Amino acid sequence: MAGSETDRSGPRRYPKGERRREEIIAVAAEVYADTGYDGASLREIAKRIGMTHAGLLYHFPNREALLAAVLERRDEQDAERVELRGPVTFGAVGHLLELAGYNERHPALVELYVRLAAEAIAVEHPAHDYFTQHYAMARTWVYSSFTALSEAGQLRAGVDPETAALTFIALMDGLQVQWLTSPDEVDLVGPLRFLLEHLLTVPLS
Amino acid sequence: MAGSETDRSGPRRYPKGERRREEIIAVAAEVYADTGYDGASLREIAKRIGMTHAGLLYHFPNREALLAAVLERRDEQDAERVELRGPVTFGAVGHLLELAGYNERHPALVELYVRLAAEAIAVEHPAHDYFTQHYAMARTWVYSSFTALSEAGQLRAGVDPETAALTFIALMDGLQVQWLTSPDEVDLVGPLRFLLEHLLTVPLS
DNA sequence: CCTACCGATCGGTAGG
DNA sequence: CCTACCGATCGGTAGG
């Protein structure tokens, strides 16, 4: 992500400018969800806020820095919703089920994620490293959850925690694409429960 | 997809122009895989062939018609590889396993599919209807395969064929995104076999 | 934060 | 098939 947008050190900005920045980030996330990052122009984002694209560039040095800020914000929100709810135990997989339910009520969030993930396949894409790390973390997180389940004797015989983790996350992602394309015919949570029912020896809480 | 590119009726074109068209379609598919359809310019496609973008527009009336031709071609190739190999029996799911293996050796094909599918989420996108139908067909196809398996007593108790079909296809799609992003850490076939092993009562052929 | 501008790129067309 | 062009749009900067 270019030069790391996490300038936690630098001088804290004025409250008014800070509020404006947050507004820009929120609107940018909406536009990225609609058109992808590649298809989102600074002019379109600025217009939705009621300023010019040059004004927007007063708050962010360039187009890429705005993307970085959007991704950083997304991680913070995810952390608020999931990570902080408890330690990584076998309940982590359950938290992902809750996340899927949450996503079902927030299609814009899902669109942002799916569109950016597809664009970021290209190694030159400014969000490529973000998604590489994002996927790796998710796999590790779910993996340790399945490992805990296994040690508790709640995983079916012959279930490899690593494959189970990859399968669970890939299923979550694949459902999102089909759900966004045909919302009426696809359920975001059902198949995840379905998979877990066939991997666990205990009923879902 | 605008006005249906399938002009099977119209006058057959000259062999030379026909070869040129095929060349353009193949190169366009490559560029779509790299940059998405939204990011692919006629000038870039034309340059890779060694002509001008105006020359390209001699063969296709506009940008969208070229996309339609690429998608049409893709379906023909899929049909050659899978559909014609036999009737829709319980072997259909096995054919999809083979397809996943084939895909693993053809990343460009997978990239084309993943990038376009993400862009086509927007209802106004020229490939939206294509993917809506594509997914519906895939679900139906795999569904009838699981139904056949169920009637043959090869499906585990309590496995709903419809959910199983959606799960299988979504898993296939989700794996592709992660595989393209991190090819070294993700296996395109393993998790599909893993899922089937837990849904079937018989070992995989 | 805006106005005004820059060089670059886009899809499509005329005219041959 | 090409040359030459069109109007539109893009990210970024100067200068206030």
Side-chain angles (χ1 to χ4, degrees):
Chain A
M1 190 59 50
S4 161
E5 203 49 22
T6 334
D7 281 319
R8 290 273 176 259
S9 46
R12 217 54 235 122
R13 294 176 198 78
Y14 300 100
K16 192 171 170 181
E18 196 56 36
R19 254 180 282 127
R20 200 57 151 161
R21 268 178 63 93
E22 287 305 317
E23 187 184 1
I24 294 170
I25 290 171
V27 171
E30 281 177 29
V31 178
Y32 293 168
D34 285 351
T35 67
Y37 167 72
D38 294 347
S41 73
L42 295 179
R43 282 171 169 87
E44 172 62 26
I45 296 167
K47 191 168 66 178
R48 292 206 198 179
I49 299 175
M51 60 175 6
T52 66
H53 89 284
L56 201 154
L57 287 168
Y58 167 78
H59 295 279
F60 295 89
N62 55 45
R63 201 174 93 102
E64 216 166 287
L66 178 53
L67 171 61
V70 167
L71 295 176
E72 193 184 339
R73 190 87 165 72
R74 220 209 97 104
D75 276 350
E76 288 167 13
Q77 290 170 338
D78 270 10
E80 282 171 28
R81 271 203 306 277
V82 154
E83 206 173 29
L84 298 180
R85 279 203 198 146
V88 177
T89 62
F90 43 77
V93 167
H95 284 166
L96 281 180
L97 269 188
E98 287 175 37
L99 180 60
Y102 179 88
N103 286 341
E104 215 158 30
R105 281 169 280 121
H106 298 81
L109 215 68
V110 179
E111 270 193 71
L112 172 65
Y113 176 81
V114 169
R115 297 235 25 170
L116 290 188
E119 292 177 351
I121 287 168
V123 280
E124 329 82 48
H125 195 280
H128 180 79
D129 290 348
Y130 172 86
F131 276 97
T132 305
Q133 289 175 31
H134 182 88
Y135 282 130
M137 278 175 49
R139 265 181 255 125
T140 303
W141 198 58
V142 177
Y143 167 71
S144 52
S145 177
F146 275 121
T147 300
L149 283 162
S150 177
E151 286 166 0
Q154 300 181 348
L155 212 56
R156 278 212 185 155
V159 173
D160 170 41
E162 196 166 337
T163 306
L166 175 56
T167 300
F168 188 83
I169 293 166
L171 177 57
M172 218 170 150
D173 288 349
L175 286 170
Q176 292 178 350
V177 184
Q178 275 187 80
W179 177 68
L180 290 171
T181 308
S182 319
D184 298 334
E185 311 188 45
V186 175
D187 178 0
L188 219 45
V189 180
L192 291 174
R193 300 185 71 92
F194 171 78
L195 174 66
L196 287 180
E197 282 165 10
H198 287 274
L199 298 183
L200 304 183
T201 57
V202 293
L204 290 175
S205 50
Chain B
M1 191 59 51
S4 161
E5 203 50 21
T6 334
D7 266 337
R8 290 272 176 259
S9 46
R12 218 55 231 122
R13 294 176 198 77
Y14 300 101
K16 192 170 172 181
E18 196 55 36
R19 255 180 281 126
R20 201 56 151 160
R21 269 178 62 93
E22 288 304 317
E23 187 184 1
I24 294 170
I25 290 171
V27 172
E30 280 177 30
V31 178
Y32 293 168
D34 284 351
T35 67
Y37 167 72
D38 294 346
S41 74
L42 295 179
R43 280 171 169 88
E44 173 61 26
I45 297 167
K47 190 167 68 179
R48 291 207 198 178
I49 299 175
M51 60 174 10
T52 65
H53 88 284
L56 201 154
L57 286 168
Y58 167 78
H59 295 279
F60 295 89
N62 54 45
R63 201 173 93 102
E64 217 165 285
L66 178 54
L67 172 61
V70 168
L71 295 177
E72 193 184 341
R73 191 86 165 73
R74 218 209 99 103
D75 276 349
E76 288 167 12
Q77 290 170 338
D78 269 12
E80 282 171 26
R81 272 203 307 275
V82 154
E83 206 174 28
L84 298 181
R85 279 201 197 149
V88 177
T89 62
F90 42 78
V93 167
H95 283 166
L96 281 181
L97 269 188
E98 288 175 37
L99 180 60
Y102 178 87
N103 285 342
E104 215 158 29
R105 282 169 279 122
H106 298 81
L109 216 68
V110 180
E111 272 194 70
L112 172 65
Y113 177 81
V114 168
R115 297 235 24 172
L116 290 188
E119 292 176 352
I121 287 169
V123 281
E124 327 82 48
H125 195 280
H128 180 79
D129 291 348
Y130 173 86
F131 276 96
T132 305
Q133 290 175 29
H134 182 88
Y135 282 130
M137 278 176 48
R139 266 181 256 125
T140 303
W141 198 59
V142 177
Y143 167 72
S144 53
S145 178
F146 275 121
T147 300
L149 284 163
S150 177
E151 286 165 1
Q154 301 181 346
L155 212 55
R156 276 212 187 155
V159 173
D160 170 40
E162 197 166 337
T163 306
L166 175 55
T167 301
F168 189 83
I169 293 166
L171 177 57
M172 217 170 151
D173 287 350
L175 286 171
Q176 292 177 350
V177 184
Q178 275 187 80
W179 177 68
L180 289 171
T181 308
S182 319
D184 297 334
E185 311 188 45
V186 175
D187 178 0
L188 219 46
V189 180
L192 292 175
R193 300 185 70 91
F194 171 78
L195 174 66
L196 288 180
E197 281 164 11
H198 288 274
L199 298 183
L200 303 183
T201 57
V202 292
L204 290 175
S205 50

